[in-house]
Amino acid sequence: MPIPPAPPRFLPLSIRVRLLWGDFLHQFGWWCLSASLIMILVCLRAPDWEEFQMTPENMQTVTARIISVKPYSSTKHGSGFTYVYRFESQSGGERVEATVSLGGEQRYKQGGTAQVEYLRENPLRSRLPEERSTIWIWVSLSALGGLLFLALALFSLFCLVISWHDGQYRIRLLQLGLLQVLEEVDFHWPEPRGPAGHVSYRFTPFNAEQPISRREVLDHSVLNKISPDAACHVIYLAEEPEKAQIWELWGHWLKQDSNGAFRGHMAYFLYLLTPPVALALFLLLYFFQDTPASRFF
């Protein structure tokens, strides 16, 4: 791997994009943020929030006529009967027609009557007494799910911040980092074909009296990029030598030409598509939720 020129060094935009947007935490953060926002939206839509208003003091009870009774049977909902009923609200004499499906035996006959409850302020929201739903169960489950996905969204934001901070540090390290030959290097692999090992090394920073020792646990395939017989280099910032990194290990993603100058690849700009595509998925579902097809979601 070529040695870079003395600092300050020029860093192409494509390398900056790779460092700021290309690592796993950043990609994971955006996709996980989008998925958690979508699920939060689903949890908010799952309960019928208007049922909170359907309390005894807000309800009106009237007699309705059953105008249609049809049996149904499905593998998902079992069997029962679908009733179409019509009633006249007490406010303004508005005639309302509604449909309800109840499982089990037939409870009403066509042409018969039934007691119906409806919201005084919205007669279109009505129900038969047998239809009273367990709204609090659905709300509790939705609230629990919403809190879990909110925690996931916050974790995603944390990943994005950590990734961005790490990318900025690496950009600064490449631009201004000092390069030095290591004094001691110890390679250790638990097994010749093992998945991981570690490198222990020591160096004395410029204008420092005491050496600094570091130990890094690395993937086995990355360790193989270093030859134990060759001189290894370390790159570090003068004000933070304790965060030094072995220069040769950066070769698995950083490209240089023959004179050591950095060069990037246009393919790295594809990383810039991750944030808008992830948020576009969320916005698509957000605007899709009020369409007829949204009932499938």
Side-chain angles (χ1 to χ4, degrees), residues 251-268:
H252 67 287
W253 60 264
L254 184 64
K255 303 299 180 183
Q256 293 178 268
D257 55 26
S258 57
N259 61 6
F262 300 117
R263 57 186 175 86
H265 299 277
M266 293 302 293
Y268 287 157

Side-chain angles (χ1 to χ4, degrees), residues 212-225:
I212 290 179
S213 298
R214 287 206 64 192
R215 182 178 185 271
E216 296 185 53
V217 178
L218 300 166
D219 181 80
H220 188 273
S221 61
V222 177
L223 284 172
N224 283 336
K225 296 181 182 296

Side-chain angles (χ1 to χ4, degrees), residues 1-296:
M1 180 178 180
I3 300 301
R9 307 179 186 94
F10 171 74
L11 207 61
L13 180 60
S14 53
I15 295 293
R16 294 172 181 266
V17 170
R18 168 65 175 81
L19 289 172
L20 291 174
W21 279 278
D23 73 329
F24 170 78
L25 271 183
H26 200 91
Q27 303 295 304
F28 168 83
W30 278 111
W31 289 117
C32 207
L33 178 64
S34 175
S36 57
L37 289 178
I38 289 174
M39 295 309 299
I40 289 174
L41 180 62
V42 171
C43 290
L44 289 175
R45 293 188 58 211
D48 188 351
W49 298 101
E50 198 175 20
E51 286 200 26
F52 277 115
Q53 303 177 28
M54 300 180 76
T55 56
E57 59 271 15
N58 294 328
M59 302 295 290
Q60 179 73 44
T61 302
V62 295
T63 300
R65 182 167 296 277
I66 306 297
I67 60 176
S68 173
V69 179
K70 293 182 179 179
Y72 71 84
S73 179
S74 69
T75 55
K76 183 177 181 180
H77 302 288
S79 59
F81 292 83
T82 299
Y83 306 94
V84 179
Y85 58 88
R86 183 185 297 143
F87 65 93
E88 191 172 287
S89 66
Q90 301 296 315
S91 56
E94 181 182 359
R95 181 167 289 187
V96 181
E97 187 173 294
T99 303
V100 63
S101 297
L102 300 175
E105 301 295 329
Q106 182 176 352
R107 299 171 183 168
Y108 302 98
K109 294 183 179 180
Q110 185 170 338
T113 59
Q115 295 298 303
V116 171
E117 303 171 338
Y118 71 89
L119 274 173
R120 288 191 179 91
E121 297 180 357
N122 184 14
L124 295 179
R125 291 306 310 268
S126 64
R127 65 189 180 192
L128 295 173
E130 296 90 340
E131 194 192 354
R132 292 191 182 107
S133 62
T134 53
I135 178 66
W136 295 106
I137 294 178
W138 284 109
V139 169
S140 300
L141 291 176
S142 296
L144 178 61
L147 290 175
L148 291 176
F149 288 112
L150 178 60
L152 183 59
L154 294 176
F155 176 71
S156 303
L157 289 174
F158 173 77
C159 291
L160 291 174
V161 171
I162 292 297
S163 171
W164 186 268
H165 183 270
D166 183 65
Q168 287 182 319
Y169 178 81
R170 287 199 171 196
I171 288 175
R172 196 161 139 261
L173 187 63
L174 287 175
Q175 289 178 318
L176 304 174
L178 303 173
L179 206 68
Q180 190 173 335
V181 177
L182 291 173
E183 298 171 5
E184 292 183 12
V185 185
D186 173 45
F187 301 89
H188 176 71
W189 293 273
E191 298 178 9
R193 299 181 180 274
H198 71 257
V199 174
S200 299
Y201 57 89
R202 186 177 73 169
F203 73 102
T204 303
F206 294 113
N207 302 322
E209 297 180 357
Q210 299 294 328
I212 290 179
S213 298
R214 287 206 64 192
R215 182 178 185 271
E216 296 185 53
V217 178
L218 300 166
D219 181 80
H220 188 273
S221 61
V222 177
L223 284 172
N224 283 336
K225 296 181 182 296
I226 301 179
S227 172
D229 302 323
C232 294
H233 300 78
V234 67
I235 187 170
Y236 64 96
L237 293 172
E239 61 272 24
E240 296 178 312
E242 68 280 358
K243 294 183 179 180
Q245 299 185 20
I246 296 180
W247 172 250
E248 280 76 12
L249 294 179
W250 288 38
H252 67 287
W253 60 264
L254 184 64
K255 303 299 180 183
Q256 293 178 268
D257 55 26
S258 57
N259 61 6
F262 300 117
R263 57 186 175 86
H265 299 277
M266 293 302 293
Y268 287 157
F269 284 101
L270 294 176
Y271 291 119
L272 285 172
L273 296 178
T274 303
V277 170
L279 292 182
L281 290 176
F282 168 71
L283 293 175
L284 181 64
L285 181 60
Y286 179 79
F287 291 111
F288 186 63
Q289 65 174 332
D290 294 325
T291 64
S294 66
R295 66 180 184 273
F296 297 108

